[in-house]
Amino acid sequence: MHSPISYPLIAVKRDPSFSPNSVDNDSRILGAVVHRLEAEGYSIHVCEEDEFARAEWHSPMVFGMYRKEETLKRLRQLEQQHKTVVLNKPQGINNCRRAQLQRIMDHHGIPQPESAIIDTDDTVLAIPYPCWMKRASGYSMEKGDVAFVPNQAKAEETLKDFMERGIRKVLVSEHLRGDLVKFYGVEGTPFFYSFYPTACSHSKFGLEKHNGKPKGYLYDEECLHKTATKLAKATGIQVYGGDCIVWPDGSIRIIDFNDWPSFSPCRTEAAIHIAQRIINLIPQHGI
């Protein structure tokens, strides 16, 4: 049992708009972490993003799956005013937005597909087909925010859709042929988990089908873990997940990286390590 602290820890749920087809899974991982912390003797107040942004809080620690701009603004204020410890940090979450993430990966030498940011009124692509088009300014909030583009006609249709939805910048990435591997980790702990999502029908939007069935190319999971840890530190994200493509020679390219995913295939073990990471970060003196 740990020493009592003056105020409860704050756990913030992810707004449903940022959990397309994943509301239940996102809720379960946060709930599992809260359960572990309560078992260790900590008091936890769980709230929605809108509640968190409106209220005045006094807590040594805020953690959760938040992404709304109002929530991130409030978190930055708490960090500055009360020295509250935050997991994941607001700047780290901003760094996972695709345009910023691409620049960080390039700067730190993280292997990735050839990519470019284009305007939605630009129909001339420097990257050959097939390719992927993704909303550059934020996260995937609906299926149309990520599109597999096999030809010019699909490119024009996709860019028109983005433009009509008020999206002005798009990340265009080459389509890499290889095995799709999904990974999860908690920076600062030994926890790391990787698997083939297409082999177990794990999907959010069904786009994994474009990668086909995995051929089982051998890859070094320890090397992938080191690369993911390097990216986690570069972005400032401690609870993370992502996707990569494994080539026939075993080399990898990171194609996506996100703050606090659902951990659905490894939720129980992940919750143990996330909770321990939170405990290790809680200021011993409270606030």
Side-chain angles (χ1 to χ4, degrees):
M1 187 72 66
H2 294 267
S3 301
I5 55 178
S6 302
Y7 297 90
L9 310 182
I10 309 298
V12 185
K13 296 180 180 180
R14 178 165 292 160
D15 188 85
S17 64
F18 290 97
S19 289
N21 300 331
S22 297
V23 173
D24 288 343
N25 281 332
D26 284 351
S27 178
R28 288 188 184 114
I29 181 59
L30 188 64
V33 172
V34 168
H35 178 74
R36 295 289 308 184
L37 290 168
E38 289 177 336
E40 291 291 328
Y42 290 97
S43 175
I44 316 292
H45 177 79
V46 182
C47 64
E48 308 285 346
E49 289 203 57
D50 288 343
E51 177 192 352
F52 178 81
R54 289 193 306 265
E56 291 293 328
W57 301 101
H58 298 278
S59 175
M61 181 85 191
V62 178
F63 63 93
M65 304 177 74
Y66 34 76
R67 282 181 177 170
K68 294 184 74 172
E69 191 54 47
E70 296 87 348
T71 311
L72 301 184
K73 179 180 178 181
R74 189 75 186 93
L75 286 168
R76 286 190 287 267
Q77 291 172 345
L78 287 175
E79 284 184 301
Q80 295 168 1
Q81 297 171 5
H82 302 296
K83 298 182 180 179
T84 300
V85 177
V86 176
L87 181 82
N88 287 307
K89 289 181 174 294
Q91 184 56 51
I93 293 168
N94 283 333
N95 286 340
C96 286
R97 293 173 176 171
R98 290 193 178 99
Q100 180 69 357
L101 180 64
Q102 188 225 2
R103 288 191 288 268
I104 289 172
M105 291 174 67
D106 185 60
H107 179 74
H108 289 273
I110 304 295
Q112 62 177 313
E114 181 183 354
S115 302
I117 303 292
I118 67 167
D119 295 324
T120 49
D121 59 0
D122 185 359
T123 58
V124 179
L125 304 185
I127 294 171
Y129 303 109
C131 64
W132 292 85
M133 290 186 177
K134 304 177 182 181
R135 178 178 186 163
S137 59
Y139 309 93
S140 296
M141 300 175 68
E142 56 184 273
K143 187 174 182 178
D145 287 346
V146 180
F148 177 72
V149 180
N151 50 48
Q152 179 69 20
K154 181 63 176 178
E156 292 175 2
E157 175 188 329
T158 301
L159 289 169
K160 181 180 178 183
D161 174 69
F162 277 124
M163 186 180 295
E164 289 176 346
R165 292 191 289 124
I167 298 168
R168 301 304 177 196
K169 297 289 183 181
V170 174
L171 175 69
V172 182
S173 299
E174 65 175 322
H175 175 63
L176 300 177
R177 292 175 172 84
D179 284 352
L180 176 65
V181 170
K182 186 173 286 290
F183 59 86
Y184 302 107
V186 182
E187 199 274 316
T189 79
F191 177 77
F192 189 77
Y193 182 91
S194 65
F195 69 108
Y196 298 105
T198 51
C200 56
S201 301
H202 179 95
S203 179
K204 181 180 287 188
F205 295 127
L207 294 169
E208 290 85 355
K209 65 183 180 183
H210 297 292
N211 296 96
K213 294 182 180 180
K215 295 179 175 59
Y217 298 136
L218 295 178
Y219 66 96
D220 187 337
E221 188 178 54
E222 183 179 350
C223 180
L224 175 57
H225 187 186
K226 288 180 179 178
T227 300
T229 298
K230 181 178 180 180
L231 184 53
K233 290 180 177 180
T235 56
I237 289 294
Q238 296 189 46
V239 181
Y240 65 83
D243 300 89
C244 72
I245 296 295
V246 179
W247 281 359
D249 64 0
S251 61
I252 62 122
R253 300 289 186 275
I254 304 293
I255 60 172
D256 206 3
F257 189 80
N258 298 298
D259 58 284
W260 202 319
S262 65
F263 293 89
S264 53
C266 54
R267 184 182 301 122
T268 300
E269 185 181 0
I272 293 170
H273 290 275
I274 297 170
Q276 188 58 55
R277 186 65 182 139
I278 290 169
I279 290 169
N280 291 344
L281 291 171
I282 297 171
Q284 296 302 308
H285 53 76
I287 61 172

